[in-house]
C-alpha cells in the first residue's frame, strides 16, 4: 500500500466555482481526521474508560466473512504428524468440532438464535498493574441472529448503551457519543457470536482456514487454525485517514474435546495526521472460551474472558510506545433457537444511515483500532 496523502488541517474555501469539488474533498478529509483524532484520544484519556471499553470490547467484528461449508466428503484424512497447512487439514479439524458440538443437527432447521448474557469490563492503565476494581464496569447484552448473516446486539454497560447490527448487506453501530455510523468492506459476523455461541458460524469461517500446527494454550493441547483478511477487504476498510494494514485471527481447537477453546486476533492500522509523521495502532485480543453446556442437543460456550492490548507507536511518540490493556469476563444466561416473532424487519438499519450519506462515506469505525 502506498503512503497516505497529507490531509488539510482546515477545510479550504475556493472563490472560483471550478474548485468546488476540491473544497468538498478537503472538507471531507478534515471531517475524517477530526473524527479519527477524537475517537483515538479515548484510548489514553483516563476519564473515557467507559467509552473505550464499549468501543473496543462491546461489539467487535470477525476479520473475515462467513464461507459456505464444504461437503464433509471433500475433506481428506488428516494426521497431525504428517499434516501440511492445507485446507483439508482445517476441514478435518472442523469435522471434529462439528461432531463435538453436535451442530450438524442445526443445519437446515435453525432460522434464528436469541442470546442473553452478562459482562464485566475493566481498564488496566499500565501493563503489570491491577486496577483493584476501580475501573470495573458491569453490564449485560442481548443478541439476535438470523441465519446466515443477519445479526443485532444491544449491550449496556455503566449506564451507557451501544447497538450494532447487520442486515446481510451493511454493518452499522450506534453509540451515544458518535451516533449511527456504517462500516465499509464485506459483511462479517459478530466476533462475540464466534466465541463458542454459534458453532455453525465457527465451522463456516474456519473450514477455509490455514492449518498452523499444534500448540499448548492454557494447558490444553490444541490444533491451530489461522484466518487473514485479504488485500481487497483491507483496502475497502481503509480510507484517506486510516489504512488497515493487516487483520488476522487464530483459532485454538482442543485435540481432546474438539471444541474451540481460545481465539487470538491482531490488527494493525496506520493513522496519518495532517502534516505529521504516521502513527501506528496495533490491537490484539485474546479470548478464553469455556463452560460448554448442552442447549437443545448442541454444545454452547457459557463463559469466557478476553484481554485486549492497544499499542500506539511511531516516530512522533517521544516517550516510546504507549500501551493500554482492557479486560472482560462474560457469562451466558440464556440461548434459544427459532424464537417466534423474529423477522427480517428486526435487522433493518437505522434510518439515519439512509438520510446521512456521510455516515457511510466518512466514518468508518471498522478501520479504527477501537472497533474491536
Amino acid at each position: 500500500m502506498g503512503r497516505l496523502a497529507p490531509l488539510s488541517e482546515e477545510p479550504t474555501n475556493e472563490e472560483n466555482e471550478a474548485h468546488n469539488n476540491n473544497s468538498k474533498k478537503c472538507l471531507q478529509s478534515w471531517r475524517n481526521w477530526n473524527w479519527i483524532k477524537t475517537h483515538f484520544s479515548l484510548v489514553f484519556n483516563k476519564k473515557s474508560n467507559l467509552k473505550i471499553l464499549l468501543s473496543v470490547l462491546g461489539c467487535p467484528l470477525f476479520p473475515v466473512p462467513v464461507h459456505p461449508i464444504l461437503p464433509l466428503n471433500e475433506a481428506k484424512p488428516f494426521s497431525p504428524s504428517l499434516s501440511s497447512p492445507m485446507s483439508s487439514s482445517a476441514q478435518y479439524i472442523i469435522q471434529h468440532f462439528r461432531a463435538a458440538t453436535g451442530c450438524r443437527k442445526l443445519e437446515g432447521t435453525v432460522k434464528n438464535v436469541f442470546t442473553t448474557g452478562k459482562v464485566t469490563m475493566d481498564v488496566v492503565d499500565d501493563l503489570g498493574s491491577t486496577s483493584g476494581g476501580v475501573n470495573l464496569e458491569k453490564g449485560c447484552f442481548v443478541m439476535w441472529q438470523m441465519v446466515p448473516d443477519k445479526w443485532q446486539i444491544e449491550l449496556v454497560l455503566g449506564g451507557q448503551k451501544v447497538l450494532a447490527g447487520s442486515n446481510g448487506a451493511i454493518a452499522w453501530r450506534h453509540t451515544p457519543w458518535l451516533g449511527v455510523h456504517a462500516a465499509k468492506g464485506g459483511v462479517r459476523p459478530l466476533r462475540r457470536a464466534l466465541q463458542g455461541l454459534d458453532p455453525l458460524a465457527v465451522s463456516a469461517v474456519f473450514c477455509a482456514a490455514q492449518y498452523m500446527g499444534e500448540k499448548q494454550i492454557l494447558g490444553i493441547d490444541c490444533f491451530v487454525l489461522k484466518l487473514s483478511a485479504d488485500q481487497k477487504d483491507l483496502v475497502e476498510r481503509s480510507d484517506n485517514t486510516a489504512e488497515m494494514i493487516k487483520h488476522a485471527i487464530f483459532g485454538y481447537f482442543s485435540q481432546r474435546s474438539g471444541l474451540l477453546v481460545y481465539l487470538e486476533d491482531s490488527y494493525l492500522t496506520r493513522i496519518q495526521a495532517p502534516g505529521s509523521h504516521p502513527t501506528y495502532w496495533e490491537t490484539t485480543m485474546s479470548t478464553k472460551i469455556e463452560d460448554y453446556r448442552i442447549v437443545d442437543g448442541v454444545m454452547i460456550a457459557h463463559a469466557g474472558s478476553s484481554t485486549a492490548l492497544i499499542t500506539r507507536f511511531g516516530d512522533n511518540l517521544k516517550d516510546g510506545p504507549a500501551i493500554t490493556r482492557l479486560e472482560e469476563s462474560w457469562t451466558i444466561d440464556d440461548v434459544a433457537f427459532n424464537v417466534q416473532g423474529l423477522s427480517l424487519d428486526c435487522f433493518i438499519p437505522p434510518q439515519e444511515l439512509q438520510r446521512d450519506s456521510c455516515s457511510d462515506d466518512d466514518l468508518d469505525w471498522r478501520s479504527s483500532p477501537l472497533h474491536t
Side-chain angles (χ1 to χ4, degrees):
M1 291 187 180
R3 286 176 58 93
L4 296 176
L7 304 178
S8 174
E9 186 93 39
E10 298 285 344
T12 58
N13 295 319
E14 299 289 345
E15 296 180 0
N16 194 328
E17 186 176 356
H19 295 117
N20 282 344
N21 290 334
N22 289 335
S23 299
K24 292 180 180 179
K25 291 181 179 179
C26 290
L27 176 59
Q28 183 182 51
S29 297
W30 177 77
R31 293 174 64 190
N32 278 355
W33 168 242
N34 275 337
W35 179 84
I36 289 288
K37 180 172 60 176
T38 302
H39 200 37
F40 285 3
S41 67
L42 296 176
V43 176
F44 300 99
N45 183 350
K46 295 183 179 180
K47 295 182 180 180
S48 302
N49 287 336
L50 185 59
K51 293 182 180 180
I52 182 179
L53 287 171
L54 289 170
S55 296
V56 178
L57 297 175
C59 44
L61 299 185
F62 206 70
V64 299
V66 175
H67 300 283
I69 300 177
L70 296 178
L72 297 178
N73 56 12
E74 292 187 10
K76 300 178 180 179
F78 168 70
S79 171
S81 60
L82 301 176
S83 64
S84 60
M86 303 295 289
S87 60
S88 59
S89 303
Q91 290 180 42
Y92 176 89
I93 297 171
I94 293 307
Q95 288 183 53
H96 191 191
F97 170 79
R98 295 176 69 192
T101 58
C103 68
R104 294 176 183 175
K105 65 185 66 176
L106 298 179
E107 295 179 338
T109 63
V110 171
K111 298 181 179 180
N112 62 68
V113 185
F114 170 77
T115 307
T116 64
K118 296 183 179 66
V119 294
T120 301
M121 299 183 184
D122 198 4
V123 175
V124 180
D125 295 321
D126 300 306
L127 290 180
S129 68
T130 57
S131 63
V134 175
N135 300 316
L136 200 64
E137 298 286 355
K138 295 183 179 181
C140 59
F141 68 90
V142 178
M143 184 168 61
W144 300 266
Q145 294 175 265
M146 181 168 285
V147 178
D149 54 7
K150 298 174 180 61
W151 54 265
Q152 185 167 316
I153 184 172
E154 180 176 334
L155 189 147
V156 177
L157 186 78
Q160 297 276 12
K161 180 173 66 174
V162 294
L163 297 95
S166 171
N167 65 350
I170 186 174
W172 56 270
R173 185 174 67 166
H174 178 274
T175 65
W177 54 93
L178 289 176
V180 177
H181 42 288
K184 296 179 181 178
V187 176
R188 295 180 288 152
L190 192 66
R191 188 186 191 274
R192 191 174 294 275
L194 277 84
Q195 295 172 182
L197 296 179
D198 187 347
L200 279 180
V202 171
S203 59
V205 295
F206 278 105
C207 69
Q210 179 183 14
Y211 174 67
M212 302 302 294
E214 304 175 38
K215 183 178 180 180
Q216 189 175 83
I217 191 79
L218 304 173
I220 303 174
D221 294 327
C222 297
F223 295 128
V224 185
L225 299 182
K226 178 185 179 182
L227 289 165
S228 300
D230 59 28
Q231 186 64 30
K232 178 177 179 295
D233 190 57
L234 292 175
V235 171
E236 291 178 350
R237 291 161 58 187
S238 302
D239 56 27
N240 57 356
T241 54
E243 176 187 16
M244 180 70 73
I245 297 176
K246 68 174 183 178
H247 194 176
I249 191 164
F250 296 84
Y252 295 78
F253 295 81
S254 170
Q255 296 183 17
R256 181 178 179 181
S257 68
L259 299 174
L260 176 65
V261 296
Y262 200 77
L263 281 175
E264 184 178 37
D265 65 299
S266 173
Y267 58 99
L268 180 64
T269 306
R270 176 183 181 272
I271 305 301
Q272 179 74 60
S276 67
H277 295 287
T279 301
Y280 296 88
W281 296 71
E282 183 173 25
T283 303
T284 60
M285 183 182 294
S286 304
T287 301
K288 176 183 178 182
I289 304 169
E290 56 187 348
D291 193 16
Y292 277 87
R293 304 179 193 175
I294 298 179
V295 178
D296 292 343
V298 181
M299 295 288 282
I300 302 293
H302 278 66
S305 58
S306 297
T307 299
L309 293 178
I310 305 173
T311 304
R312 181 180 61 168
F313 58 94
D315 296 337
N316 57 334
L317 299 180
K318 298 180 180 179
D319 298 331
I323 303 175
T324 294
R325 186 175 78 208
L326 313 178
E327 297 176 346
E328 176 197 23
S329 60
W330 50 271
T331 57
I332 300 302
D333 296 326
D334 189 27
V335 177
F337 300 111
N338 294 329
V339 177
Q340 296 294 326
L342 190 64
S343 67
L344 294 176
D345 293 340
C346 300
F347 303 94
I348 297 177
Q351 294 182 357
E352 290 87 338
L353 291 181
Q354 304 173 18
R355 293 198 303 262
D356 189 359
S357 61
C358 77
S359 295
D360 188 12
D361 298 334
D362 299 346
L363 307 181
D364 180 15
W365 61 274
R366 292 201 299 183
S367 68
S368 159
L370 295 185
H371 85 269
T372 52

